Amino acid sequence: MALVTPNAAQASARWYHEHLFWNTTVIDQSVVLPLGNGLVAFSVPADYLGRVHRHLQRSGLRMPQTVIDECEAPAVILAESDGAVIGQCQMPDGVRYLMVPAVIELPLLPFSAERKKRWLSAPDPHRRWLLSATCVLAALTTATHSYQGTPGHRTETAQPRTLVG
């Protein structure tokens, strides 16, 4: 009798579910995490991540669970939906706010830097909580603030206004 070993996608999905309590599923040999049930994400240009990380460290916070893909430019930062109403109009340039019905493809296990899709900041079963979406948005806004004066980015200045009434 031969032992049947589960494939990497099935084993990874099971690990995420058992250790992090994430509602993962396998689609085409990829582990997929549907957003919802308190889970949201931010699609972020990879060149923002260093500044976001430094800002969070200065604030005494760990970098949230972040998936990067060597083949695609945006990284994905997971966050807890904290009840705040967040819209795309609040996002810094290049950042997209993701919620239901979006899904996130997670890296396969074991966590490895050699894989094309990997964790920049891996989830820890002993520290399962996520930063709130408001906290991540504040870090993104602060980290991208330095971009506002560069070419190709919109800058706004205060204009005097006349109040009527």
Side-chain angles (χ1 to χ4, degrees):
M1 180 172 152
L3 292 175
V4 177
T5 58
N7 68 32
Q10 291 292 339
S12 298
R14 188 175 320 107
W15 187 90
Y16 287 122
H17 182 75
E18 291 174 359
H19 292 89
L20 303 173
F21 305 110
W22 290 351
N23 188 23
T24 54
T25 188
V26 175
I27 299 175
D28 296 330
Q29 299 304 309
S30 296
V31 179
V32 176
L33 175 64
L35 298 181
N37 295 323
L39 188 64
V40 296
F42 295 86
S43 174
V44 179
D47 59 338
Y48 288 3
L49 295 176
R51 288 187 301 275
V52 170
H53 182 79
R54 285 188 296 276
H55 172 72
L56 290 170
Q57 278 186 322
R58 283 192 302 269
S59 301
L61 299 170
R62 279 183 46 194
M63 182 70 177
Q65 286 81 351
T66 304
V67 176
I68 59 173
D69 189 330
E70 301 299 328
C71 298
E72 297 178 19
V76 177
I77 299 175
L78 298 176
E80 175 189 329
S81 171
D82 55 2
V85 178
I86 298 177
Q88 189 58 41
C89 63
Q90 296 170 278
M91 297 301 112
D93 287 339
V95 175
R96 287 185 32 234
Y97 181 60
L98 306 173
M99 56 189 161
V100 172
V103 296
I104 305 301
E105 184 180 347
L106 301 178
L108 298 178
L109 300 175
F111 299 139
S112 169
E114 294 86 41
R115 296 188 187 266
K116 296 221 183 292
K117 186 169 288 296
R118 61 184 175 86
W119 289 104
L120 176 66
S121 178
D124 180 350
H126 302 290
R127 297 177 59 139
R128 289 189 302 261
W129 59 89
L130 298 170
L131 291 180
S132 71
T134 305
C135 178
V136 173
L137 178 57
L140 287 167
T141 302
T142 301
T144 59
H145 182 68
S146 62
Y147 270 2
Q148 291 180 355
T150 60
H153 288 79
R154 184 182 67 215
T155 58
E156 296 180 16
T157 57
Q159 300 293 322
R161 298 185 331 184
T162 304
L163 298 177
V164 178

